[in-house]
Amino acid sequence: MNPRLRVGADGLGRLVFDDPVRAHNILDADTFRGLDEAVGLAASEAASGRLRALAILSAKPRSFIAGADVDAIASIADAQAGEQASRRGQALFARLGALPVPVVAAVRGLCLGGGAELALACDFRVASDDEATRIGFPEVSLGILPGWGGTTRLPGLVGLRAALELMLSGKPASASKAGRTGLVDRVLPAAQFEDRALAFVRDLMAGEDSRGGGARTAGARSRRRRGLGARLLDGTPLGRALVLAMARRQVARRTGGRYPAPLKIVEVLRRGAGRSMQKRFEMEARAVGELATSRVCKNLILLFRMRERARKGPWSEGGVAAPVERAAVIGAGVMGGAVAQSLAYRDIPVRLKDVAHEAVATGLAASRSLFNEAVSRRRLRRREAERKMGLVSGGLDYAGVGRADVVIEAVVERMDVKRAVFGELEEVVGPRAVLATNTSSLSVDEMAAALDHPERFAGMHFFNPVHRMPLVEVVRGARTSEATLETIAALAVRLGKTPVVAADGPGFLVNRILAPYLNEAGHLLDEGWDARAVDAAWRAFGAPMGPFRLIDEVGIDVVRHAGEAMATALGDRMAPAPALVALGRTNRLGRKGGRGFYLYRDGKQRKFDLSVYEDAGLRRSRAAPKPKQVQDRLVLAMINEAARVLDEEIVASAADVDLGMVMGTGFPPFRGGLLKYADDRGLAAVLSASAALHERLGDRYAPSPVLRRLGESGETFHGVFAGR
Ligand code: NAI
């Protein structure tokens, strides 16, 4: 039975969650039934006087309750079913909280979503102060809101502003933050956590005895006294109205109104103010019904599941991935320094090698500053950051590289240099070491040709900035072994990334699909459209930035270089737009040089630089393009290329394309990914829009055979390319 209730002779009950199959406790249908029975049992034990206090525990040290069952949310078919699911959870948790004895959630490990809502329904919460403990409400990232009483209870506990922050960001709080905000009543040392938590419950029992049942109210009363400002903002009608109006504005600005869940959270809090608990539960449940059936929610959940599946390949268990205890990174530039930091962050000692002293120093400094940033964002404690930084060492020779289980090469993007580096590496590494290249455009097979052991070689393509970008392309060369592939993929997962396996083709997955997009932006410039309006149109589609801002970000030189390589490899449809060629001849480099389409100071974007047109000899018509037209030009170019990528078996599934584009380029998540967008629009419509562009703009828009086939047959990308 999960959870299991045991009541000691002293009257202390323990309700212990321990999912029999999963690594985490999840509130799925079985667990829900188990909890329902256990609460019934606890109620009768309390009525008979045998149960005097209840501690809620988990037998899994890293997981209190990691959340509700995402599949159950995904299967909600209509608003009524969503509303009912919410009411069932609310009612069960309310019964738990209404037991006539003190109920304490003893939180250690992940306590998210439904798990956190369960904790909120208890009389008290204590938390272990270890790093694995995180308490939060990530529902918003799945397009819903905390619907088992969470939206209703949280503000009362932590105040309106902290509640909004937790629910709107979806970011979980560490134990210490939870302690500071009042989300938990007591933070306890991780050592002997369970004993200490039970001692806390025993104290309550003793208090109940001496005060005749007053412990719970005493506990509630002792809750955080907030400062005057906080009390004015959180505790007065005017203050609350102000806070909610501000939150609403921020959400609208950040999401462009495309994500209904955060707006709904604000609305439920606003309309619930001053209402009874019951009324607020009703509003919350109705909101779940509305949100859970929205397309945005369905798309976000689809992405979540695609991501889970990508992370849980054979490399997660039962596969042939080799353990990685030490690593080395060759090339201490922009990428090398950051890759070394991400390895050390996950406690993997790493040697950083370069050919230049200054580069090593810069690489180490870059690692250090990333650790400092983690400290200032309270992700790491200072002492931890220092210890991890101590795992990175640097130098000019191969000392230490020989002991590495994985070596990641990130030297300059030149085949001859990379080949020379791998030649040297083969001399120094051990027989079981895996070698990887971070190349973004060179052929992995060509690089492998000179190796004695190509089977232990693969691509491991990180995205810049490494610490923020969640994607790693794992490039399988023709001779890469399964063990090598899985070792790299498992390492990517360990670094907190999502691996997508791609075959060795020009630009692999993401850069291949981005190439026609960036080039098409160039063609729009050639036609005289306003670059700022093009960027704005793409942002209006839901992307974080437009193509010209992205070109600046990547570097105009890099984009030009990659564009040439793509045209050579893929032929005429990728022939560089004259505007981009002209731009490449100016001395603009993009953000890194302080000037591209936009101006930058200290790396921060400033205004658009109008002189770019004259500089590159471009004409600019006055007309602003219609956003829809711009969006279609860009998105159809990408869809068509993605169809080719699938046809060539560069990746195994439409899900891989979608993950790659969302996680590697910021393609709007609410659309579910590039090909989900295409499927939703209907491939017949996509095909006819592409055919129209083909007619008007020429062969680069010629629908690919796969797009034509699916468009004519009425099938979908996700249906036909469902993958493993
Ligand atoms: P970078 O120019 O910042 O760094 C390259 C480093 O390699 C320099 O420090 C250089 O001294 C060093 N180096 C050159 N020859 C070497 C050798 N024989 N042995 C050891 N070190 C050597 O370049 P960046 O941007 O870090 O790129 C490195 C690799 O990562 C390239 O293959 C690039 O295509 C790839 N990449 C770059 C991304 C980016 O946005 N910058 C994104 C993804 C991949």
Side-chain angles (χ1 to χ4, degrees):
M1 190 49 139
N2 179 38
R4 181 189 291 277
L5 175 70
R6 277 177 300 140
V7 181
D10 56 356
L12 197 161
R14 295 161 211 217
L15 184 61
V16 183
F17 282 87
D18 191 7
D19 191 296
V21 279
R22 295 191 181 97
H24 287 281
N25 290 317
I26 299 289
L27 288 171
D28 58 10
D30 281 347
T31 314
F32 227 78
R33 261 192 302 279
L35 178 61
D36 187 76
E37 273 177 40
V39 171
L41 198 60
S44 67
E45 294 285 89
S48 70
R50 276 193 297 275
L51 177 72
R52 294 169 48 223
L54 183 62
I56 314 240
L57 300 155
S58 160
K60 299 182 196 292
R62 298 178 67 80
S63 171
F64 176 69
I65 297 171
D69 180 7
V70 174
D71 292 342
I73 306 173
S75 70
I76 293 174
D78 57 56
Q80 211 182 356
E83 198 172 325
Q84 267 163 13
S86 163
R87 283 177 193 275
R88 268 198 304 278
Q90 289 173 344
L92 177 55
F93 290 178
R95 275 172 57 217
L96 175 71
L99 288 173
V101 297
V103 181
V104 180
V107 176
R108 181 178 53 166
L110 284 184
C111 174
L112 302 177
E117 293 180 275
L118 182 145
L120 289 185
C122 298
D123 299 306
F124 297 92
R125 284 145 297 280
V126 299
S128 161
D129 72 352
D130 60 307
E131 302 250 320
T133 297
R134 308 239 141 216
I135 308 175
F137 303 86
E139 286 86 346
V140 74
S141 59
L142 294 179
I144 53 172
L145 49 63
W148 286 341
T151 309
T152 301
R153 287 199 176 93
L154 189 58
L157 207 57
V158 301
L160 182 60
R161 283 175 309 158
L164 281 167
E165 203 234 332
L166 280 163
M167 290 194 287
L168 294 178
S169 75
K171 286 206 189 98
S174 63
S176 71
K177 181 165 183 198
R180 276 198 309 279
T181 53
L183 183 54
V184 301
D185 301 280
R186 193 81 54 86
V187 178
L188 302 172
Q192 273 120 37
F193 169 71
E194 196 164 314
D195 291 345
R196 291 175 200 261
L198 292 175
F200 177 90
V201 184
R202 286 204 181 84
D203 283 351
L204 289 177
M205 276 161 65
E208 292 267 307
D209 287 347
S210 63
R211 280 195 294 265
R216 289 198 279 163
T217 38
R221 244 184 281 123
S222 77
R223 280 206 181 112
R224 244 133 294 276
R225 292 193 71 82
R226 303 197 183 87
L228 177 66
R231 267 182 285 149
L232 284 178
L233 281 176
D234 284 357
T236 64
L238 186 64
R240 294 173 56 87
L242 207 66
V243 168
L244 287 164
M246 251 155 51
R248 195 173 193 294
R249 218 173 310 137
Q250 258 170 24
V251 168
R253 199 171 46 216
R254 223 176 22 159
T255 66
R258 291 188 198 84
Y259 293 81
L263 290 171
K264 203 74 189 173
I265 289 171
V266 178
E267 185 195 319
V268 169
L269 291 183
R270 183 175 56 76
R271 296 198 17 237
R275 303 282 181 92
S276 71
M277 207 62 175
Q278 201 44 47
K279 264 251 124 17
R280 281 151 61 202
F281 277 143
E282 279 166 26
M283 289 180 189
E284 185 183 298
R286 263 202 307 281
V288 171
E290 284 171 38
L291 291 174
T293 45
S294 69
R295 171 162 284 175
V296 172
C297 174
K298 298 284 179 215
N299 281 341
L300 292 175
I301 288 181
L302 180 72
L303 271 174
F304 175 85
R305 292 159 104 189
M306 294 196 258
R307 177 169 169 269
E308 291 289 286
R309 213 173 323 133
R311 287 170 60 88
K312 281 203 192 101
W315 40 84
S316 66
E317 54 186 302
V320 285
V324 175
E325 276 162 27
R326 296 175 171 279
V329 174
I330 314 298
V334 173
M335 297 302 281
V339 169
Q341 193 266 347
S342 78
L343 289 158
Y345 196 102
R346 307 290 160 157
D347 297 318
I348 301 171
V350 50
R351 178 75 179 176
L352 185 55
K353 183 211 175 291
D354 203 288
V355 286
H357 266 300
E358 313 78 67
V360 174
T362 315
L364 291 174
S367 286
R368 177 165 290 286
S369 91
L370 288 168
F371 275 121
N372 286 340
E373 191 184 320
V375 171
S376 64
R377 287 174 183 263
R378 293 181 187 261
R379 295 241 169 79
L380 277 183
R381 295 190 187 128
R382 168 65 55 196
R383 201 155 26 98
E384 267 298 275
E386 289 298 334
R387 184 184 63 73
K388 287 176 193 279
M389 186 60 213
L391 298 176
V392 192
S393 67
L396 300 182
D397 55 22
Y398 281 101
V401 176
R403 288 195 295 152
D405 303 304
V406 168
V407 183
I408 301 167
E409 167 279 313
V411 306
V412 284
E413 186 75 338
R414 276 179 42 193
M415 186 56 86
D416 55 338
V417 180
K418 291 193 191 267
R419 279 188 164 202
V421 166
F422 282 110
E424 289 168 19
L425 276 173
E426 280 204 312
E427 302 281 311
V428 297
V429 296
R432 280 196 297 276
V434 163
L435 307 180
T437 174
N438 181 43
T439 183
S440 44
S441 61
L442 301 175
S443 162
V444 164
D445 283 334
E446 210 180 316
M447 220 177 286
L451 290 178
D452 288 336
H453 291 287
E455 71 282 357
R456 60 157 154 185
F457 175 71
M460 185 174 192
H461 182 213
F462 289 87
F463 289 74
N464 186 18
V466 173
H467 68 298
R468 289 230 183 84
M469 298 298 282
L471 184 74
V472 167
E473 287 178 340
V474 182
V475 184
R476 185 204 293 267
R479 291 192 285 173
T480 302
S481 74
E482 186 62 23
T484 298
L485 189 90
E486 289 188 21
T487 303
I488 300 289
L491 180 61
V493 171
R494 187 162 158 203
L495 300 183
K497 311 290 183 199
T498 299
V500 168
V501 177
D504 183 31
F508 312 127
L509 169 66
V510 170
N511 287 341
R512 164 87 178 262
I513 298 176
L514 268 186
Y517 158 86
L518 293 177
N519 206 33
E520 202 50 39
H523 287 303
L524 285 163
L525 266 192
D526 279 319
E527 290 166 29
W529 298 114
D530 181 89
R532 261 178 310 180
V534 170
D535 271 358
W538 193 241
R539 284 199 309 275
F541 187 74
M545 61 178 80
F548 298 113
R549 179 66 184 78
L550 180 64
I551 290 174
D552 275 3
E553 195 62 33
V554 174
I556 289 173
D557 51 337
V558 177
V559 168
R560 281 295 303 123
H561 183 258
E564 290 294 346
M566 286 301 205
T568 310
L570 299 170
D572 280 353
R573 71 172 190 280
M574 296 277 188
L580 296 185
V581 177
L583 191 75
R585 294 207 191 94
T586 66
N587 55 7
R588 289 166 196 261
L589 286 177
R591 186 167 76 93
K592 64 188 166 193
R595 213 155 69 107
F597 287 93
Y598 297 83
L599 296 170
Y600 300 83
R601 189 180 300 158
D602 299 329
K604 291 232 164 23
Q605 183 200 315
R606 300 172 69 79
K607 65 180 179 34
F608 189 87
D609 186 10
L610 284 169
S611 66
V612 69
Y613 295 104
E614 198 178 329
D615 242 18
L618 303 171
R619 70 194 165 88
R620 183 168 66 120
S621 78
R622 292 190 170 270
K626 287 210 174 67
K628 177 82 171 71
Q629 276 172 5
V630 172
Q631 292 163 2
D632 256 14
R633 291 271 295 262
L634 299 174
V635 82
L636 293 173
M638 286 197 282
I639 292 170
N640 205 13
E641 197 61 31
R644 290 191 168 93
V645 161
L646 286 170
D647 196 27
E648 293 168 27
E649 297 181 11
I650 297 291
V651 292
S653 66
D656 287 342
V657 171
D658 284 351
L659 274 180
M661 297 315 285
V662 170
M663 305 187 99
T665 75
F667 190 89
F670 73 93
R671 298 194 185 275
L674 177 66
L675 296 181
K676 179 63 171 34
Y677 164 80
D679 285 347
D680 282 349
R681 185 164 162 180
L683 296 189
V686 169
L687 176 61
S688 73
S690 298
L693 288 181
H694 179 201
E695 197 149 294
R696 191 153 68 80
L697 298 166
D699 279 348
R700 66 179 189 274
Y701 275 102
S704 67
V706 166
L707 179 58
R708 190 166 285 292
R709 195 181 82 220
L710 301 195
E712 284 166 1
S713 68
E715 291 169 291
T716 62
F717 281 114
H718 279 267
V720 173
F721 297 97
R724 61 179 159 85

